Amino acid sequence: MKFIYEKSEDDMLYKHAMKRITELVEEVFQICDEVADENQYEREWVLDRFREQFSKAKRTR
């Protein structure tokens, strides 16, 4: 029974983490939208630049 409990706890942790990641994605989209609006940039351009910078930062961390 202990194994089942641990798996269930792991599942709960995973689901919580994925929920938070989904929220984080939405937060980033909102910030990118704000940056685009405030600076009169195209939304897709801002998202593309974010992806580029994120990828660079991820490689150097």
Side-chain angles (χ1 to χ4, degrees):
M1 288 306 251
K2 185 176 182 185
F3 177 73
I4 293 170
Y5 173 76
E6 288 174 1
K7 184 173 179 5
S8 178
E9 187 175 334
D10 287 347
D11 287 344
M12 288 174 38
L13 288 172
Y14 178 80
K15 286 178 184 177
H16 177 73
M18 290 307 297
K19 181 179 180 216
R20 183 60 190 118
I21 295 297
T22 301
E23 293 169 352
L24 180 59
V25 168
E26 284 304 314
E27 291 172 25
V28 169
F29 276 134
Q30 288 175 1
I31 292 168
C32 287
D33 286 346
E34 290 170 9
V35 168
D37 289 345
E38 291 169 3
N39 296 284
Q40 298 177 349
Y41 300 147
E42 294 281 332
R43 179 181 189 265
E44 288 302 312
W45 184 86
V46 172
L47 290 172
D48 289 343
R49 300 301 73 77
F50 174 81
R51 282 185 200 103
E52 288 172 3
Q53 293 302 312
F54 182 82
S55 292
K56 285 181 187 177
K58 194 169 80 168
R59 285 191 299 266
T60 60
R61 267 195 126 183

